[in-house]
Amino acid sequence: MRIREIEYLRGLAIMAVVAIHVTALGLTHNFSTFDISINLVSRFCVPLFLFIAGIVLIYKYDEKTFSYRKFITKRLKDIGIPYLIWSFIGFTVFLIGNPFSIRELLFTFLLGNGQLFYHLYYIPLLFQCFFLLPLVLKYIDKKYFVLGTGVLQTSILFVYQTSFLQGNPIISGMLVQVFVGSWFFYFVLGCWIGKNLNKWTKKIQEMRLSLVTGLFLFGIMVQFSDFYFSWKVTSNYADSSNFLRPSIILYFLLSLPFLYRVSNIAPLKRIMYKIGEHSFSIYLGHLLVIIAAHRYISPWNIFFISIVICISAHMIYLKLLPRLFRRKGSPAINVIRKTS
């Protein structure tokens, strides 16, 4: 099911994902204020994807007609298979110049957190949300359920960040990152808003632009302040700028009205819809394109060129691939259509 307004948001989210990975690679070679600023501002992307997933699923399913077996089977086919294919590609490329590693094998396929395609952790995370969907459908009308998931997630991230700042993380950040409790509030919030989507969009459209922009800028200020403090304490910019911080929850909530308004600007709608329509395929392969682009682009901080190359390469790929098959019903084409 395609909800056009949500598809615009999806396009914005995938562009932010690409921006994070472009700037992250750049920061490993040359610390740049521009790169870190873009990286921090783009941190709404994964929360937004989970939020969108919640809206779409609650819009489509309800507790009475929901078939858990059919639901999981369809997701395993449409999302699980492409995930395994790209995990295999990433692990195979890793083996070039590296010895075989059981640890790398498990991290790649079970956690989606391999050395090369570390971004695929989102898929195991998303499946955890899928597994918990019956629970969400049962309690989503209870306000305390949404609030409770928010408190739980904030508590988990607060404990983790506090231990990180003290120099003694109680658990690996990699495990916290793939644990559903660290993200579940975004998904549940999407489900809750999805129950009254028209009312929510109407309220945002009625909000003054100055208020929407002010909330977004305040969220950015909170984000930057949190990063600066963590970085000064730990000298670790990567963990100081990641998603596993309570400030990300606040930033996402404050930026949501602004993101909705931006994604619905008339001149951008068509572009956002087209990109959002193919967001899953772009998500799976964009890191490979970025790595290849950065190898031939100098200096490392040519941000916009990398973004354009990444998005354009995937759009061209998705246009040309059907021509490689004579039959429209080719399984390869169907997988792309269903997952994107």
Side-chain angles (χ1 to χ4, degrees):
M1 183 194 328
R2 298 286 183 188
I3 307 172
R4 294 197 71 88
E5 292 174 319
I6 297 305
E7 215 60 56
Y8 305 149
L9 278 174
R10 206 194 300 266
L12 196 60
I14 192 59
M15 291 186 69
V17 168
V18 174
I20 284 179
H21 292 143
V22 169
T23 54
L25 281 178
L27 286 168
T28 60
H29 289 71
N30 177 31
F31 191 89
S32 160
T33 302
F34 176 78
D35 282 343
I36 194 62
S37 298
I38 294 295
N39 195 288
L40 290 173
V41 171
S42 301
R43 289 286 161 178
F44 62 82
C45 58
V46 176
L48 183 57
F49 266 128
L50 288 169
F51 175 78
I52 290 170
I55 289 178
V56 172
L57 291 177
I58 207 71
Y59 209 81
K60 188 173 183 180
Y61 298 102
D62 61 67
E63 188 180 6
K64 295 180 180 178
T65 60
F66 181 72
S67 171
Y68 190 68
R69 182 178 177 181
K70 289 181 180 179
F71 173 77
I72 294 298
T73 300
K74 177 174 172 54
R75 266 65 199 175
L76 286 172
K77 182 176 69 173
D78 290 352
I79 299 176
I81 292 176
Y83 165 73
L84 291 176
I85 291 172
W86 278 96
S87 296
F88 177 77
I89 293 172
F91 184 69
T92 302
V93 175
F94 166 79
L95 290 179
I96 301 174
N98 293 286
F100 179 83
S101 167
I102 294 294
R103 181 181 183 276
E104 179 66 18
L105 180 69
L106 294 176
F107 274 48
T108 297
F109 286 94
L110 294 182
L111 301 181
N113 215 322
Q115 290 288 334
L116 186 63
F117 291 161
Y118 50 82
H119 65 298
L120 294 179
Y121 74 89
Y122 175 74
I123 305 301
L125 171 63
L126 187 60
F127 267 97
Q128 292 176 72
C129 293
F130 290 161
F131 294 144
L132 292 172
L133 185 58
L135 179 70
V136 176
L137 291 173
K138 184 174 182 179
Y139 293 106
I140 193 60
D141 290 325
K142 311 289 184 182
K143 289 186 178 180
Y144 69 81
F145 180 69
V146 181
L147 181 62
T149 57
V151 171
L152 175 64
Q153 180 175 315
T154 303
S155 301
I156 291 172
L157 298 184
F158 176 78
V159 170
Y160 171 74
Q161 187 179 26
T162 301
S163 65
F164 162 71
L165 291 174
Q166 292 173 346
N168 186 32
I170 59 176
I171 191 171
S172 166
M174 189 179 298
L175 295 179
V176 178
Q177 180 176 256
V178 80
F179 174 52
V180 68
S182 306
W183 305 85
F184 198 45
F185 171 65
Y186 305 127
F187 179 76
V188 172
L189 181 65
C191 291
W192 185 64
I193 287 179
K195 297 279 286 186
N196 299 283
L197 185 59
N198 292 333
K199 185 184 294 186
W200 178 75
T201 55
K202 184 179 179 181
K203 283 186 177 180
I204 290 183
Q205 289 167 348
E206 291 173 350
M207 292 175 68
R208 295 196 310 273
L209 183 59
S210 58
L211 174 61
V212 169
T213 306
L215 290 173
F216 177 64
L217 293 176
F218 179 71
I220 290 178
M221 184 181 70
V222 171
Q223 253 261 70
F224 276 60
S225 300
D226 182 31
F227 164 76
Y228 183 76
F229 173 75
S230 298
W231 184 37
K232 283 296 182 182
V233 171
T234 65
S235 299
N236 184 333
Y237 82 83
D239 288 335
S240 298
S241 63
N242 65 20
F243 291 101
L244 307 178
R245 298 174 290 143
S247 63
I248 294 293
I249 300 175
L250 180 60
Y251 172 57
F252 173 69
L253 293 175
L254 292 174
S255 64
L256 197 51
F258 180 81
L259 297 174
Y260 177 84
R261 293 284 284 269
V262 168
S263 67
N264 278 268
I265 294 175
L268 295 178
K269 282 185 177 182
R270 187 174 180 181
I271 298 173
M272 289 296 104
Y273 184 84
K274 211 63 183 173
I275 294 175
E277 195 178 21
H278 299 300
S279 59
F280 185 67
S281 296
I282 294 173
Y283 174 78
L284 289 173
H286 76 277
L287 199 53
L288 186 62
V289 177
I290 291 173
I291 292 171
H294 270 205
R295 178 165 297 184
Y296 298 103
I297 294 177
S298 181
W300 279 80
N301 62 353
I302 301 182
F303 170 74
F304 293 107
I305 293 179
S306 296
I307 293 283
V308 171
I309 289 176
C310 182
I311 298 295
S312 300
H314 278 86
M315 299 302 284
I316 292 170
Y317 155 73
L318 291 168
K319 289 293 183 183
L320 292 181
L321 187 61
R323 301 190 181 193
L324 299 177
F325 300 88
R326 294 182 178 179
R327 295 184 299 116
K328 291 184 178 180
S330 167
I333 304 304
N334 289 339
V335 167
I336 290 176
R337 285 176 177 163
K338 289 176 182 176
T339 55
S340 61

